[in-house]
Amino acid sequence: MDVVDVLRASGTALNPPAGYSAWWWITVALAVLALLALGWRTRLVLRGARDSAPAGGLESLRALTTQALDAIRDQEPDPRRAVQEMSAQVRRFVGVVSDGDADYTTLPALRCAAVKDPRLDAVVTFLEHVRPGLFDGRSPLDVDDVHRRAREVVQRWV
């Protein structure tokens, strides 16, 4: 006699394993649909961010950046803050036009990137010029000179 026969003889019924409710499968299907919708929406947002570059391309972005540099020079009373903002504008411009991350990269990383992309040499030279004035309180800051150099970097970018 095996176990099943013993249980039948004792009057104890075997209960089959309980199956999962259909609601669980509906929940799983809804979760998958939600993930697909989130992925689709993320794709659309990222495509919109990529396509939101100025319509005129490089020349339009160059004009916007030089206007921003002029506005910083004319409106920012604190020289250190003005130089910081001009440096950020140049980095942002180069980051956008080169499809890189110049606005987030450190100076040593930019030097390494300039080995691969010689266009970044001018940016490295500019940042090396403004660095002492930004990080050493004793170094003088010439906002007009920094403005001129920043405009040169933007205007000469190819």
Side-chain angles (χ1 to χ4, degrees), residues 3 6 41 44 49 56 80 95 107 109 113 120-121 128 130 140 148 157:
V3 175
V6 171
R41 177 70 179 147
L44 290 177
R80 183 164 271 95
L107 187 55
L120 294 173
D121 285 334
E128 286 173 342
V130 300
R148 181 185 56 77
W157 186 268

Side-chain angles (χ1 to χ4, degrees), residues 70-83 85 143:
D70 293 344
I72 292 167
R73 180 197 60 195
D74 296 338
Q75 297 173 3
E76 181 59 55
D78 180 24
R80 183 164 271 95
R81 179 79 176 146
V83 171
E85 289 181 17
V143 175

Side-chain angles (χ1 to χ4, degrees), residues 13 29 32 51 110 115-116 130:
V32 168
D51 295 341
L110 271 175
V115 172
K116 295 177 186 174
V130 300

Side-chain angles (χ1 to χ4, degrees), residues 36-52:
L36 287 173
L38 181 64
W40 182 260
R41 177 70 179 147
T42 302
R43 182 174 173 246
L44 290 177
V45 167
L46 290 176
R47 182 186 300 163
R50 184 184 61 213
D51 295 341
S52 67

